[in-house]
Amino acid sequence: MATYFVGDIQGCFDDLQHLLQQANFDPQHDQLWLTGDLVARGPKSLETLRFVKDLGPAAITVLGNHDLHLLAIDAGLAKLNPKDKTQPIFSAEDKDELLLWLRQQPLLAYHEAFNIIMVHAGISPQWSQQQAKLYAEEVNAQLRGDDYQTLLAHMYGALPNYWQDELQGFDRLRFIINAFTRMRFCAPDGQLEFHNKHSPASNNNSQHVPWYEVAGTHLDGAHVIFGHWAALEGHCSHENATTLDTGCVWGNSLTMLRWEDKAVFSVPCPLHAT
């Protein structure tokens, strides 16, 4: 059995298939861990959802910001981004089944044998890893419940952007969602910043640093694997974190890591996002 971790697919289904073929992935024996954002600007979001769902226990995925936005659109709480190519999902006969499955997926997945945490964007520098696991489950419990639409209606927004244990209600849940699915840069005290999507090398604001460079205990313990930040091009400066979003949808590449021997597989991708 081999364990593979792959970066954001964003509907780039054909590229994912090429990558799995390159690695000789076998769902009967291997396991595929996906860093979220299964859907969005690639041409085959519907096929991607179906494929990952049908892998059953051979696939472990976390929710990304695009996945949550898809659920909000279905609930009538958000509008479809013209740049996204997810419309076929909403007219598919298995839409309800697919989105129910998607809603059951976690914000954080933990591989106990390898001591790995997988998230979409990162872990707040204000948290320990144990706190991150607990806070992720707070949101997951709401998403999996009958009143999940109320959470989706209140998840948008950039505030609060600083964690306090006293946060309650949707302010608390919104921060948790933002940290796990939208975060890139932070202030040195851990305050979240959402405007800059560039690489750390091109960051002109000395007040903001990558979340994984902020002092804290968020990277103490388990190794953290994340996606979301294509501008990193697969490079992370912290020895206890690995980033796998290499911008497939932007015409760069799709990258996958086999954990047992640290082999890296990559396929070049055509430009899908327009």
Side-chain angles (χ1 to χ4, degrees):
M1 177 178 175
T3 309
Y4 295 91
F5 292 85
V6 66
D8 304 23
I9 308 301
Q10 283 217 34
C12 300
F13 176 75
D14 293 343
D15 303 298
L16 174 62
Q17 296 306 307
H18 295 156
L19 188 63
L20 295 176
Q21 290 168 13
Q22 181 188 119
N24 294 316
F25 172 78
D26 182 354
Q28 298 300 316
H29 304 285
D30 302 331
Q31 198 168 56
L32 181 66
W33 289 56
L34 304 101
T35 62
D37 276 2
L38 299 181
V39 304
R41 299 189 179 183
K44 295 185 178 180
S45 288
L46 174 59
E47 291 84 350
T48 302
L49 278 183
R50 285 173 173 165
F51 174 74
V52 177
K53 176 181 177 296
D54 289 346
L55 283 176
I60 304 293
T61 188
V62 291
L63 291 167
N65 52 301
H66 286 292
D67 305 317
L68 289 171
H69 186 62
L70 183 75
L71 294 172
I73 294 170
D74 182 60
L77 300 167
K79 294 182 179 180
L80 180 67
N81 187 330
K83 296 181 180 180
D84 290 343
K85 301 179 178 68
T86 55
Q87 182 59 51
I89 295 172
F90 300 107
S91 56
E93 60 182 15
D94 55 346
K95 181 207 66 164
D96 291 343
E97 180 183 348
L98 289 170
L99 296 189
L100 175 60
W101 168 82
L102 186 65
R103 186 162 57 86
Q104 310 307 307
Q105 304 315 305
L107 286 176
L108 179 153
Y110 178 60
H111 195 300
E112 186 172 1
F114 294 146
N115 194 29
I116 293 173
I117 287 175
M118 181 178 68
V119 290
H120 179 60
I123 296 176
S124 167
Q126 295 183 264
W127 300 340
S128 67
Q129 292 186 349
Q130 183 58 34
Q131 287 174 313
K133 293 176 182 178
L134 295 174
Y135 299 153
E137 189 51 41
E138 286 186 36
V139 172
N140 293 147
Q142 292 284 330
L143 276 176
R144 294 166 181 164
D146 294 336
D147 194 30
Y148 72 95
Q149 293 182 350
T150 303
L151 171 61
L152 295 176
H154 289 86
M155 73 172 177
Y156 292 101
L159 296 176
N161 59 3
Y162 187 81
W163 177 257
Q164 294 177 303
D165 292 339
E166 297 77 18
L167 285 175
Q168 297 181 356
F170 294 115
D171 282 348
R172 180 182 180 91
L173 298 176
R174 187 182 308 112
F175 182 97
I176 295 170
I177 289 173
N178 283 341
F180 281 123
T181 68
R182 295 181 59 207
M183 176 178 63
R184 292 184 180 92
F185 287 99
C186 293
D189 64 356
Q191 179 177 299
L192 307 183
E193 194 280 331
F194 297 113
H195 298 293
N196 191 348
K197 299 181 180 181
H198 300 295
S199 70
S202 61
N203 176 36
N204 295 321
N205 190 336
S206 61
Q207 298 302 311
H208 295 129
V209 295
W211 65 268
Y212 48 81
E213 293 183 2
V214 179
T217 61
H218 55 311
L219 289 172
D220 291 351
H223 190 89
V224 176
I225 293 180
F226 67 101
H228 183 59
W229 200 345
L232 293 179
E233 299 181 343
H235 302 292
C236 176
S237 61
H238 199 288
E239 63 181 3
N240 209 30
T242 297
T243 181
L244 289 174
D245 181 6
T246 48
C248 176
V249 75
W250 304 108
N252 296 321
S253 63
L254 187 63
T255 299
M256 185 166 67
L257 168 68
R258 186 167 61 207
W259 187 255
E260 284 81 359
D261 60 0
K262 305 304 185 290
V264 176
F265 302 87
S266 179
V267 293
C269 303
L271 176 63
H272 295 297
T274 55

